[in-house]
Amino acid sequence: KTLPCRNSKKESDLNLAQARVRDLDAQLNAKEADLATALNENRTLENELRELKDQVLSLNLSLEDTKKHLHSEMLRRVDLENHMKTLQEEMTFQKRLHEDELKETKRVHESKIAEVESGRQREFESKLSDALQGLRKQHEEQIQGYKEEMERTFSAKVENAQLTAARNSEFANAAREELMETQKRVDTLISQVNQYQSQNVALESRIKELQNLLDYDRDLHRRRMAEKEEEMAQAQRQAQAQLEEYEHLLDVKLALDLEINAYRKMLEGEEQRLKLSPSPSSHSTAIPASSQGRRFLHGKKRKIKETKKREHSAAFKTIQHVSATGTISIEEIDADGKFVRLKNNSDEDQPLHGWVLRRRIGSVADVTYKFPSRFTLQAGQEVTIWGAAAGVSPGPSDLVWKSQKSWGTGDNIGVTLITDDGEELAERKIMLVPRGEESEQDDDYEEITGSEAEFASQTKRRRKKKCCLVS
């Protein structure tokens, strides 16, 4: 009785270990998927960093060109101001030169008048006066014309210089504003680059932590598998030893039965030869022995029939693992892969833009469903995501996955809800594990007694254990 109990306990431990192995495999797949997601995000951030560096380089080149252009415009403004001062000095010099010529002309005429004879002075006084007045008038008109022409020329040049200076000033102000905006953009891009670098460092550290955790889980899984295999091997060796012992005892019992039957026949022959009355014990012992043998054969036939029947209709039980860290939970996963149902457990509407559902089935590649861009799950409401092959007409609380016929079926199905930031908010797993068969085994051997029952029970458990190991 101790050995069947121990074997039953070992089988239950084996089933628990297999369930734990499946759970660890699911966790390993989840960790590998997280690692792949983190690596993809890292590559995306590196590409964005390279693009931002290229943009910063192009903006620096544009800033240098703008500075050069501003410097050249400032030089042109200085040149125009110098040219305007030169024209002003030239106009002043021409004015002084005309005044000196006028004074020299007056002095020459006065000397000529003084040299004229006094006699003829009165004669030509009026003519000279008229000539001087005409000459003075002519010189004044000529000087006035020169003056007006110089003023017009100076005014036009000053106006042109002012317009040019105003245009240059506006262009310089625009260049200065553009330079300030460019500097602001450069500072913003530098801060973004620093932020991306810090995020990249954080992601790299997170990848290292996940890798270390994955290595630790693998080592732990490997050690536990080795321990379970060692326990299974030890149980197999013990079962083999017990089976050999039972076979030996059965052989001894059969030999003793044969020897007892031989002695009984000899005793009956002696009693018949001596004509003694037969002992009642011989008849009473022979009948139970034969009936016991018939019961053993009948129980053995019944055992073989029910064992075959049980092997063809092995039952499984479903274990579901549910976890949720937010307001959205995964309420149901259809076992036939037709739909997955979500529920908003809060009092506020939740927009699901950018959120995804990731499905995992054993070693099959993961598939991802992305919610529509403007979809919002109302407070306290549910939404059902159907496969394309379900053949339903979508209602207000239904969505159809057009690119996927079904959510899939299998012994180990997992669905995870992931936000647009990559955070896992909810998860539901369905696992199929074999049911325990201790009660069925006890019913199979109700009619078998003695050492035959122990031997038959041990043989059956050994066969079932081998089948489990092979599967």
Side-chain angles (χ1 to χ4, degrees):
K1 293 182 180 180
T2 306
L3 183 60
C5 294
R6 290 178 61 189
N7 287 332
S8 300
K9 185 177 180 181
K10 292 296 181 179
E11 287 177 358
S12 62
D13 292 340
L14 178 60
N15 292 328
L16 292 176
Q18 289 178 351
R20 178 60 179 168
V21 166
R22 294 191 192 97
D23 194 9
L24 289 174
D25 289 335
Q27 292 181 5
L28 180 61
N29 293 328
K31 295 298 182 181
E32 289 178 353
D34 293 339
L35 179 61
T37 304
L39 291 174
N40 291 328
E41 291 179 355
N42 188 17
R43 286 194 292 271
T44 303
L45 291 174
E46 289 179 354
N47 294 329
E48 291 180 357
L49 180 61
R50 286 195 293 271
E51 292 177 357
L52 290 173
K53 286 183 178 180
D54 295 336
Q55 291 180 3
V56 170
L57 182 60
S58 61
L59 288 174
N60 287 329
L61 294 175
S62 176
L63 179 62
E64 292 179 358
D65 295 336
T66 306
K67 286 182 178 180
K68 291 180 181 179
H69 190 64
L70 178 62
H71 184 67
S72 61
E73 291 297 330
M74 291 177 68
L75 292 177
R76 287 180 59 188
R77 180 181 178 183
V78 172
D79 292 337
L80 289 174
E81 289 178 352
N82 293 331
H83 186 63
M84 184 178 68
K85 289 181 181 179
T86 304
L87 291 176
Q88 289 177 354
E89 291 177 356
E90 183 178 358
M91 185 181 66
T92 305
F93 176 74
Q94 292 291 337
K95 185 176 181 181
R96 289 179 181 177
L97 183 62
H98 284 293
E99 289 178 354
D100 293 339
E101 288 179 356
L102 181 61
K103 290 179 181 180
E104 183 65 24
T105 304
K106 287 181 179 180
R107 188 181 60 78
V108 170
H109 282 288
E110 288 177 356
S111 62
K112 286 182 179 181
I113 291 171
E115 290 178 356
V116 175
E117 293 178 357
S118 59
R120 298 182 60 183
Q121 184 176 3
R122 288 190 296 272
E123 184 179 352
F124 294 103
E125 188 175 4
S126 59
K127 295 181 179 180
L128 182 59
S129 177
D130 294 335
L132 287 174
Q133 288 180 359
L135 185 61
R136 187 181 295 109
K137 187 176 180 180
Q138 183 179 359
H139 280 291
E140 287 180 355
E141 290 177 355
Q142 187 177 4
I143 289 170
Q144 186 67 28
Y146 287 154
K147 185 176 180 181
E148 290 177 356
E149 184 179 0
M150 289 295 294
E151 287 180 352
R152 286 194 299 272
T153 303
F154 177 74
S155 298
K157 290 184 178 181
V158 168
E159 187 176 358
N160 291 331
Q162 289 178 352
L163 291 174
T164 305
R167 285 196 299 270
N168 292 332
S169 178
E170 292 177 357
F171 185 76
N173 292 329
R176 191 179 294 107
E177 292 178 357
E178 185 178 359
L179 180 62
M180 292 174 66
E181 292 178 357
T182 305
Q183 186 66 33
K184 291 179 180 179
R185 288 185 61 190
V186 168
D187 295 337
T188 304
L189 291 173
I190 290 173
S191 63
Q192 290 179 358
V193 168
N194 294 329
Q195 184 179 359
Y196 288 144
Q197 287 178 353
S198 61
Q199 291 179 359
N200 191 14
V201 171
L203 288 173
E204 288 178 354
S205 62
R206 178 61 177 167
I207 288 171
K208 291 180 180 178
E209 292 177 359
L210 291 174
Q211 187 66 34
N212 295 329
L213 184 59
L214 182 60
D215 294 337
Y216 174 75
D217 290 339
R218 285 177 177 172
D219 294 337
L220 181 61
H221 173 65
R222 194 179 297 110
R223 290 195 299 270
R224 289 181 177 176
M225 286 297 295
E227 292 175 358
K228 292 299 180 183
E229 289 176 357
E230 182 64 26
E231 291 179 0
M232 290 166 59
Q234 183 67 24
Q236 287 179 355
R237 288 193 294 270
Q238 291 179 359
Q240 183 66 25
Q242 293 290 336
L243 182 59
E244 292 176 356
E245 184 178 356
Y246 289 148
E247 290 176 354
H248 177 69
L249 292 174
L250 183 59
D251 293 338
V252 173
K253 180 183 179 298
L254 293 175
L256 291 174
D257 290 338
L258 293 174
E259 188 174 357
I260 290 170
N261 290 327
Y263 284 132
R264 186 180 296 115
K265 289 180 181 180
M266 291 174 63
L267 183 58
E268 289 176 356
E270 289 294 327
E271 288 176 351
Q272 290 177 1
R273 187 176 65 83
L274 298 174
K275 296 181 180 181
L276 297 175
S277 60
S279 61
S281 62
S282 62
H283 297 285
S284 62
T285 55
I287 294 171
S290 61
S291 64
Q292 187 176 0
R294 286 194 297 270
R295 290 175 60 192
F296 171 72
L297 294 175
H298 176 71
K300 189 172 183 182
K301 290 179 181 179
R302 181 177 173 222
K303 177 196 71 173
I304 293 172
K305 291 180 181 179
E306 293 188 3
T307 301
K308 290 181 179 179
K309 183 178 179 181
R310 198 178 297 113
E311 288 176 353
H312 287 287
S313 60
F316 290 85
K317 63 179 179 180
T318 302
I319 297 176
Q320 295 197 17
H321 173 73
V322 182
S323 63
T325 59
T327 59
I328 308 298
S329 63
I330 302 174
E331 289 295 312
E332 184 179 358
I333 299 176
D334 185 42
D336 297 332
K338 293 182 179 180
F339 64 86
V340 171
R341 183 172 290 113
L342 275 68
K343 183 177 181 181
N344 186 358
N345 299 309
S346 65
D347 297 333
E348 298 179 356
D349 298 343
Q350 178 62 53
L352 301 183
H353 172 62
W355 292 31
V356 297
L357 281 173
R358 184 179 62 202
R359 186 215 68 188
R360 297 186 303 276
I361 300 179
S363 60
V364 182
D366 296 349
V367 293
T368 303
Y369 170 76
K370 187 175 183 180
F371 286 92
S373 58
R374 296 184 180 180
F375 180 76
T376 301
L377 185 56
Q378 303 296 326
Q381 298 297 320
E382 295 181 349
V383 62
T384 305
I385 300 95
W386 297 87
V392 298
S393 57
S397 62
D398 296 323
L399 295 173
V400 178
W401 194 356
K402 297 181 180 179
S403 61
Q404 193 75 16
K405 293 183 178 180
S406 172
W407 285 90
T409 58
D411 296 341
N412 190 351
I413 304 174
V415 177
T416 305
L417 178 63
I418 304 174
T419 64
D420 52 353
D421 296 331
E423 182 182 359
E424 296 183 358
L425 287 185
E427 183 179 20
R428 179 178 283 270
K429 295 180 182 178
I430 297 178
M431 294 178 289
L432 297 179
V433 298
R435 296 183 182 273
E437 298 180 356
E438 290 78 4
S439 60
E440 296 177 359
Q441 291 174 358
D442 295 336
D443 297 337
D444 291 341
Y445 302 105
E446 288 177 355
E447 296 180 356
I448 301 174
T449 59
S451 61
E452 293 89 352
E454 293 180 359
F455 175 73
S457 177
Q458 178 63 26
T459 305
K460 183 177 179 181
R461 289 199 180 101
R462 183 184 177 193
R463 288 177 180 174
K464 288 187 177 180
K465 194 169 185 180
K466 286 183 177 178
C467 292
C468 293
L469 292 174
V470 170
S471 62

